[in-house]
Amino acid sequence: MEPKKELAEKIIVALDVRTKDRALDLVKQLKNVQTFKVGLELFTSEGTLLIQELHRLGKNIFLDLKMHDIPNTVAGAVRSGFIHKVSMMTLHAFGGVEMMRRAAAEAKNLSEETGEAKPLLLAVTILTSLKGDDLRQLGIKTKLDDQVLKLAFLAKKAGMDGLVCSPRETKMIKKEVGKDLLIVNPGIRPSWASSDDQKRVMTPAQAVKNGADLLVIGRPVTQASEPEEAFLRICRELDSP
Ligand code: C5P
């Protein structure tokens, strides 16, 4: 049975594989998935050729390169992403307000000039792989949650469309920073899937209940013996948690 469109569209599947063949094999199996995340590994290996193939198959692309560079360089990368019609891109809030502002302005201007859809720009606050001790080692004395909020406020001020954050942070961000930022959660595990190397996981239904707008799910789907069945099972769980 086909999943409800609005539920299926909440899930972005992470193509964390190295080759175009493997990625396209998964995409062809996952007929009901509309948006795929292409990250550092796959993009470094297959680049824009893969992006073109995904477009040919009618899919949307979330380009997750977590950009962090001088404002001019990041604005240029946003322009390149726009030319390749990616739907979403990520950048590190730690790149600073000016970097985020320039990126937001570039996306907005290009969209206005061409009439094409604006890619959504998502800021990464603190990587979920970092703990309080890691921040102190980097010379950051602020408590981790406070630092996440500080960066989330800056991202909003700079014109970011949303944030990628841990499902544990969604409620706090929506409460403190506002509901208008799109919240995207990785670190999602259905109860029947292994947590792999994710330390603090949440089920898809819990994450959505906490306010996530979109979920990024990789291995529970891509490494399942039947990826499409795993995806449909998650959609069913979102429908009746
Ligand atoms: O396989 P899994 O569901 O753990 O994949 C999660 C995806 O989300 C991976 O592509 C990972 O790089 C990404 N991600 C994450 N945690 C973050 C940011 C991104 O797991 N804080």
Side-chain angles (χ1 to χ4, degrees), residues 1-50:
M1 205 174 73
E2 290 216 344
K4 282 189 188 151
K5 197 161 175 280
E6 71 272 19
L7 294 178
E9 285 179 353
K10 275 196 178 294
I11 304 170
I12 298 168
V13 171
L15 289 173
D16 290 326
V17 295
R18 200 178 61 253
T19 68
K20 184 152 68 66
D21 288 350
R22 178 74 188 119
L24 293 177
D25 180 43
L26 279 166
V27 172
K28 283 173 188 157
Q29 290 182 58
L30 291 163
K31 294 185 189 63
N32 287 292
V33 177
Q34 188 52 43
T35 305
F36 287 92
K37 184 172 90 79
V38 175
L40 286 167
E41 181 183 9
L42 185 56
F43 191 76
T44 304
S45 156
E46 301 285 7
T48 53
L49 277 181
L50 173 81

Side-chain angles (χ1 to χ4, degrees), residues 153-166:
F153 274 117
L154 290 180
K156 184 177 172 183
K157 189 170 148 200
M160 295 293 96
D161 299 293
L163 294 175
V164 180
C165 68
S166 152

Side-chain angles (χ1 to χ4, degrees), residues 14 16 37 64 66 127-128 164 186-189 197-198 216-220:
D16 290 326
K37 184 172 90 79
D64 184 22
K66 299 189 179 67
L127 290 170
T128 46
V164 180
I188 301 298
R189 284 297 177 272
D197 56 352
Q198 296 281 15
V216 173
I217 307 182
R219 288 161 290 181

